[in-house]
Amino acid sequence: MLQLFRGPIQPSGHQNRKTRLVTKDGRCNIEFGNIESGNHLAYLVDFWTTFVEIRWRFVLLLFVASFTGSWFLFSLLWYWIARSNGDLTGQNRTDGHVQCIDNVNGLTTAFLYSLETQTTIGYGGRALTGHCAGTIALIIVQSLIGVFINCFMCGVILAKISLPKRRAKTVSFSHTAVICLKRGSLCLLIRVANLRKTLLIGSQIYGKLLRTTTVDGETIILDQVDIDFLVDAGKDNLFFVCPLTLYHIINKSSPLYELSADTLPLQDFELVVFLDGTAESTSSSCQVRTSYIPQEIQWGYSFLPIIARTKTGKYSVDFSNFSKSVRVTTPHCALCFETDEDHANQVNNNTPQKQGIDNLGFQVIDIHDMDITKM
C-alpha cells in the first residue's frame, strides 16, 4: 500500500547520540583492553607507522626534544673533552698548552659549539684545532646523527601532511539517508559529493550492515552483512565530478527487506558506507566512510535536486540542499510494494487487451501497389 506524504522540506536531521562503531566523520569508536605487555613492543618495532599516526602535538614535542636533546648530549661530550684537555677557564695551563677546541671554556660555550656544529652554522668563533684525534671522531659522529635526525623528522612531517585521510576530508556524505521509489523499485538513497575539482580515480562504493544476531543460540555482536550500492552508471569506476546519489534496491535479497516505515525507528543496526578511490593529484589511495543508524534513515523522503545549468552553460551545484529532503509517495514496506505490484500485474494479465481488429467499425483492407504520378 502506498502512503502519500505531503509536507514541508525535511532538513538534514539532528545527530543522534546512540553509540556507533563508525562516527559520522569516519573515525572508528573502538578501544582495546587487556593487551599483553609484550604486544606493546609491536608499536616500537613498527616505529615509523607509530610516529606518523601520533597526534601533531606529540610530533612537535618529538621534533623539539630530538634536536635540543642531541645538542645537549653532544655538548656534554665536548665539555668533557675540553675539561680533560685542560681548556676550561680556571684550569691550570702549562706553557705551550695546545687546546683541542678554541673558545670552549665552559658548558654554555660547549652547548653553543654543539649547536653550531650540528646545524652547520659555523660562526667562526669556536672551532677544532685539529690537535686531538677524539674531537675529529666526535664531530663526524655528531654530523652523521644530525643528518639522520633531519631526514627522519622531515619524513615524518611530510608523511603526516600528505596522509590520504586528509584528502578524505573533502569528500562529504549526506547527513541522512532516505527510502523512496526510484525507477520502479523501493530504494535506500545516500548522497556523496567530492568538494574538489580533482577526481577520485577508480572510485568504488559499498556498505556493511552491522547488527547483533543470534545463530544456533550464539549471539554474534557486530555481525557484518554486505550492502550493495549502485548509481545509474554502475558501482565501479565512478565519474566523481559532481555529487552522486547512491541507491540500494530493497528486494528479497536485501537485508532491509523486512523493514517498514513503522518498524525502522525501532531497529538496532548501523549502516556503514565506504568509498574507496585514488587521488588524481597525488596517486595515493584513500577511503572515506560514514555511518547511518535507523534514526538517521527517513522513510518516505527523497532528496531535493541540487544540480542546475546556468545561463552561461556551466553546471552549478547548490550544496544548501545537499542533505535536505522532501516527502514523497512511498510504499509502507517492501513486501507491501511487491504485493501491490504483483496484484497489478495479475489484473493486467487477466484483462483482455483490445486490438484494432476487434473494433467492428474498423475494416482491414489490402493496400495494392499504386502508380506514382510525377508532378
Side-chain angles (χ1 to χ4, degrees):
M1 179 181 296
L2 295 180
Q3 290 185 342
L4 182 61
F5 296 99
R6 290 289 184 264
I9 296 175
Q10 181 73 13
S12 59
H14 64 278
Q15 296 291 334
N16 195 284
R17 295 184 179 180
K18 180 181 181 298
T19 302
R20 62 177 82 208
L21 178 64
V22 179
T23 61
K24 297 297 288 184
D25 57 356
R27 291 180 290 107
C28 295
N29 183 24
I30 191 171
E31 62 179 14
F32 301 98
N34 300 325
I35 301 178
E36 297 180 0
S37 59
N39 293 334
H40 290 290
L41 297 176
Y43 293 99
L44 297 179
V45 174
D46 189 17
F47 66 92
W48 176 255
T49 304
T50 302
F51 285 128
V52 172
E53 291 183 349
I54 60 177
R55 296 179 180 271
W56 271 107
R57 61 175 70 99
F58 298 113
V59 173
L60 297 178
L61 178 62
L62 177 65
F63 181 86
V64 174
S66 60
F67 282 104
T68 56
S70 62
W71 296 338
F72 182 73
L73 177 62
F74 280 101
S75 69
L76 296 178
L77 296 178
W78 291 118
Y79 178 80
W80 174 75
I81 292 177
R83 183 177 181 180
S84 300
N85 194 52
D87 298 341
L88 300 180
T89 301
Q91 289 183 312
N92 295 326
R93 300 179 182 178
T94 60
D95 295 337
H97 175 75
V98 178
Q99 292 185 338
C100 291
I101 311 171
D102 289 333
N103 298 323
V104 174
N105 48 26
L107 184 59
T108 303
T109 54
F111 180 80
L112 292 175
Y113 177 72
S114 175
L115 186 153
E116 295 169 8
T117 299
Q118 189 166 327
T119 57
T120 66
I121 295 177
Y123 290 122
R126 283 167 286 272
L128 297 181
T129 60
H131 297 288
C132 302
T135 57
I136 299 175
L138 184 59
I139 196 172
I140 293 175
V141 173
Q142 183 176 4
S143 299
L144 293 176
I145 293 179
V147 171
F148 175 79
I149 294 176
N150 287 336
C151 295
F152 182 81
M153 294 308 305
C154 289
V156 170
I157 294 176
L158 181 61
K160 285 190 68 66
I161 293 176
S162 60
L163 280 177
K165 65 180 181 180
R166 304 300 177 187
R167 176 64 176 89
K169 297 295 183 181
T170 56
V171 178
S172 177
F173 284 92
S174 57
H175 296 301
T176 58
V178 298
I179 295 179
C180 62
L181 291 176
K182 179 178 177 64
R183 298 184 180 274
S185 300
L186 188 64
C187 299
L188 171 72
L189 276 63
I190 296 173
R191 261 184 180 163
V192 60
N194 178 20
L195 303 181
R196 289 189 178 274
K197 292 185 178 180
T198 55
L199 301 180
L200 285 177
I201 303 173
S203 300
Q204 297 180 351
I205 188 75
Y206 56 96
K208 298 288 184 180
L209 187 68
L210 309 180
R211 57 187 178 182
T212 301
T213 59
T214 302
V215 179
D216 298 332
E218 178 183 0
T219 302
I220 303 177
I221 301 177
L222 297 180
D223 184 28
Q224 301 184 16
V225 181
D226 291 334
I227 297 289
D228 293 330
F229 282 94
L230 303 171
V231 294
D232 292 336
K235 63 177 181 179
D236 298 329
N237 299 323
L238 305 179
F239 185 43
F240 205 7
V241 69
C242 61
L244 299 176
T245 300
L246 314 172
Y247 63 91
H248 165 72
I249 301 177
I250 303 178
N251 50 24
K252 293 183 179 180
S253 61
S254 171
L256 307 177
Y257 179 73
E258 297 180 356
L259 297 180
S260 65
D262 298 330
T263 60
L264 175 61
L266 305 178
Q267 299 298 314
D268 184 17
F269 65 82
E270 181 177 352
L271 175 61
V272 184
V273 184
F274 302 87
L275 175 65
D276 298 338
T278 302
E280 184 180 27
S281 55
T282 61
S283 299
S284 58
S285 301
C286 65
Q287 182 183 84
V288 192
R289 51 187 176 266
T290 190
S291 67
Y292 300 92
I293 57 177
Q295 290 74 20
E296 295 172 340
I297 302 177
Q298 300 173 333
W299 193 295
Y301 286 83
S302 179
F303 288 120
L304 290 175
I306 59 175
I307 301 178
R309 192 168 183 176
T310 62
K311 296 180 179 180
T312 59
K314 294 184 177 181
Y315 292 94
S316 175
V317 180
D318 183 10
F319 279 99
S320 63
N321 293 332
F322 180 70
S323 294
K324 292 182 179 180
S325 57
V326 63
R327 289 187 175 184
V328 294
T329 302
T330 307
H332 182 264
C333 61
L335 180 61
C336 301
F337 174 68
E338 291 188 353
T339 302
D340 292 343
E341 191 177 30
D342 294 340
H343 178 70
N345 292 335
Q346 184 178 3
V347 171
N348 292 335
N349 293 333
N350 294 334
T351 302
Q353 300 294 328
K354 285 191 174 183
Q355 299 179 358
I357 196 171
D358 296 331
N359 190 346
L360 299 179
F362 181 82
Q363 295 182 354
V364 179
I365 60 174
D366 294 332
I367 300 178
H368 300 285
D369 294 337
M370 301 177 63
D371 295 335
I372 300 177
T373 303
K374 296 182 180 181
M375 300 296 296

